[in-house]
Amino acid sequence: MEWQTLAELARDCAALPKAGFKARYAAPFLLELNPEGGSIDTSNGETRDFDPDRLKGNGLSPDLKTSRILNLAEGEAFVVGRSPECDIVVGHDTVSDRHCKFECFGSIWAIGELGSKNGTFLNGRKLGPSEQSPLKFGTKILLGEAQFLFLSTDDAFDLIQDLSKEPRIRPRSLGKYRAEFKAAGDAETVRREFPGPFLVVQAPKGRESAGTTVSSNTITLSQEELKKGVNQNVTDAVFDLANHNLVRIGRATVTQIHLPLGAISNLHAALIRGENGTWSIQDLGAKNGTYLWGERLEGKAELESGTEIMLGNIKSIFFDTEDLLTYALHRDTLV
């Protein structure tokens, strides 16, 4: 079993709707709030003494970059300890080689003490020498200095949604970018001052707008309407993705790119920045679909600059800075 950071889980799953997340992860999660850095040294087999009173009033909060999380999906019993032979390895020197054990009994999970030196604490209560106790979701677990939370799938989903939430991206007009690009003078300065990438959405003029109340039900478009697209009487709304890692697109107010258009689903699609700086797009179960170059997207796909994305019948284009510069300067001849 391998730990991953909350950021890694968020990058893979934060764009999923809750139903999709729960379908992927049926088992609960163990969240380590304060993982030790570096390699685990068990050469001398000694466990350092620890006074749990030192942690009173020193509660930790989950952190995307440092907190680690593990899905308990690969079995029904897991030994936790510092030894590399344990099912769940914890690298604190106040954790015993074999510290405690998680077991699943049907739908109930329990934790049992294995005679550890510093004890196992549930919400501040120390387990007896061989005591086994059922676990409730949200329980804080203390193994020496190592602090954990036992989370349900719903808990884990809500946590990564909250921690990976990003601010709304305000659209700017293509004309403003065109003027700023010209003022920058040369392409190198433009690339430095506007690192991008960008999503250009060709929104219809004179129809629904940000100030218009839109029904909570997505309008289902016919295949004929989907194929038409919106290429006339449109305005380019440019969204700068430079300072973002996860960008949800949809009609819901919680989205980072808010498109209050009836054909757009509440959570329509998501743009996701990968570790290597590449971007991908994921459909979020949109009623009218997400299309790349006319092909309906199933799941996730990597994006290249210039990729045409149809959100229902709303056309958008993913651009790096250089291609947006070309598009901005020649837009009137391209439509």
Side-chain angles (χ1 to χ4, degrees), residues 113-154:
E113 167 63 33
L114 295 180
S116 64
K117 184 173 186 177
N118 289 308
T120 299
F121 295 78
L122 305 185
N123 291 331
R125 184 184 73 84
K126 186 176 183 180
L127 296 183
S130 300
E131 181 182 352
Q132 188 176 61
S133 175
L135 281 170
K136 293 182 179 180
F137 295 129
T139 296
K140 183 170 184 177
I141 303 168
L142 183 66
L143 312 177
E145 288 182 356
Q147 300 180 54
F148 303 86
L149 290 175
F150 181 69
L151 302 177
S152 68
T153 305
D154 283 328

Side-chain angles (χ1 to χ4, degrees), residues 172 176-198 240-243 320-322 324-325:
R172 302 182 69 216
K176 289 183 179 179
Y177 277 104
R178 184 185 295 120
E180 291 178 358
F181 289 166
K182 288 183 178 178
D186 59 84
E188 184 60 36
T189 304
V190 169
R191 284 192 290 268
R192 184 175 64 253
E193 296 184 359
F194 304 90
F198 304 85
D240 187 352
L241 311 178
N243 297 319
D320 62 18
T321 302
E322 191 166 339
L324 180 66
L325 175 60

Side-chain angles (χ1 to χ4, degrees), residues 63 119 164 191 248 254:
D63 178 81
S164 61
R191 284 192 290 268
R248 301 176 185 87
V254 297

Side-chain angles (χ1 to χ4, degrees), residues 202-210 212 230 232-236 260-261:
Q202 296 183 353
K205 293 179 181 177
R207 295 174 64 188
E208 297 154 308
S209 66
T212 303
V230 177
Q232 296 180 345
N233 197 29
V234 297
T235 181
D236 285 312
L261 303 166

Side-chain angles (χ1 to χ4, degrees), residues 32-178:
E32 185 176 8
L33 297 172
N34 60 335
E36 284 282 324
S39 60
I40 300 167
D41 182 8
T42 59
S43 56
N44 58 18
E46 295 180 1
T47 302
R48 178 168 61 84
D49 288 331
F50 174 71
D51 181 2
D53 288 339
R54 288 169 49 189
L55 289 184
K56 286 186 177 178
N58 187 28
L60 297 174
S61 298
D63 178 81
L64 267 180
K65 293 183 179 179
T66 59
S67 297
R68 302 192 307 172
I69 195 164
L70 190 69
N71 186 239
L72 303 177
E74 298 179 7
E76 297 180 345
F78 305 96
V79 174
V80 182
R82 201 170 76 251
S83 169
E85 297 178 359
C86 290
D87 302 302
I88 299 176
V89 179
V90 178
H92 286 256
D93 61 2
T94 56
V95 173
S96 295
D97 286 347
R98 289 171 56 86
H99 198 108
C100 64
K101 186 177 183 179
F102 285 90
E103 287 190 81
C104 181
F105 302 94
S107 61
I108 304 298
W109 282 83
I111 186 171
E113 167 63 33
L114 295 180
S116 64
K117 184 173 186 177
N118 289 308
T120 299
F121 295 78
L122 305 185
N123 291 331
R125 184 184 73 84
K126 186 176 183 180
L127 296 183
S130 300
E131 181 182 352
Q132 188 176 61
S133 175
L135 281 170
K136 293 182 179 180
F137 295 129
T139 296
K140 183 170 184 177
I141 303 168
L142 183 66
L143 312 177
E145 288 182 356
Q147 300 180 54
F148 303 86
L149 290 175
F150 181 69
L151 302 177
S152 68
T153 305
D154 283 328
D155 292 335
F157 178 85
D158 292 340
L159 177 64
I160 63 173
Q161 294 298 318
D162 185 59
L163 292 178
S164 61
K165 189 181 297 181
E166 298 194 12
R168 175 80 59 83
I169 305 175
R170 302 297 176 184
R172 302 182 69 216
S173 71
L174 193 64
K176 289 183 179 179
Y177 277 104
R178 184 185 295 120

